[in-house]
Amino acid sequence: MRIEFCKFANANSFIRWDESGLAVRITDVLEGAPAPILEALAQILLSKLLRRPSPRTFLERYRRYLNRKEMRRCLQLVKQTRGRKFVSGPKGNCYDIEELFEQLNAAYFHGLMAQPLLGWSRKASRVMLGHYDPSHNAIILSKLLDSTKIPQVAVEYVLFHEMLHLRYPVEHRGARRCVHTREFKDAEKQFGSLKAAKEILKTICNAS
């Protein structure tokens, strides 16, 4: 059995079984963690190796530990310093995210939201149309949206949704992460063409 702590850019850990034995690679963020936490991680990794559900008790114990305020701060710092973030710039072939950001900022946030890094993704993903990365303070939209075939209202809605993540951060409650809080959902309803935008995006995501 080989166990090593590695300088990953996140909290991921890995386990593998091959002809040389069992190899476990654990994020160094957990080096020095209490024994019950490492025991919970061991149970989770073994369950994955055996393709069985992880026991709820160990999952909750592990998640609660990672959701502690000091651990979240540590993980964010690790991601900032070790992680790489590709940001292409806001101006695409069809849409300029910076211009759209300023329009939405004025319309829904009184022009008070500080502009994060803005850019288009490398690949035209249908699965992830946009995301906000708090570690790098960046909003990235799928390159798929940068097309004359995509109505501007759909691009605006995706950008607005990610701006709300900036305005209403993820809440941590014990072992749970609440990504879309009640305040987030209420604010999202203020988008002028919400229903139309969602219908357009549904068509885009379901297209072959």
Side-chain angles (χ1 to χ4, degrees), residues 93-146:
N93 296 323
C94 182
Y95 295 109
D96 187 331
I97 304 177
E98 187 171 18
E99 288 183 2
L100 297 179
F101 179 91
E102 291 304 328
Q103 293 170 16
L104 293 170
N105 194 11
Y108 297 101
F109 302 94
H110 308 288
L112 298 176
M113 180 174 286
Q115 182 179 305
L117 294 174
L118 300 168
W120 299 96
S121 65
R122 292 179 186 269
K123 297 181 179 180
S125 172
R126 294 182 189 276
V127 178
M128 184 178 289
L129 296 177
H131 72 277
Y132 169 63
D133 182 346
S135 298
H136 297 94
N137 191 33
I139 291 177
I140 306 298
L141 300 190
S142 171
K143 193 176 180 180
L144 181 74
L145 299 175
D146 187 29

Side-chain angles (χ1 to χ4, degrees), residues 5 26-41 61-62 65-66 68 71:
F5 288 95
I26 303 173
T27 173
D28 64 344
V29 174
L30 294 177
E31 195 167 8
I37 303 305
L38 295 177
E39 178 187 353
L41 177 59
R61 182 188 302 171
Y62 184 65
Y65 184 77
L66 291 184
R68 293 169 58 187
M71 279 301 298

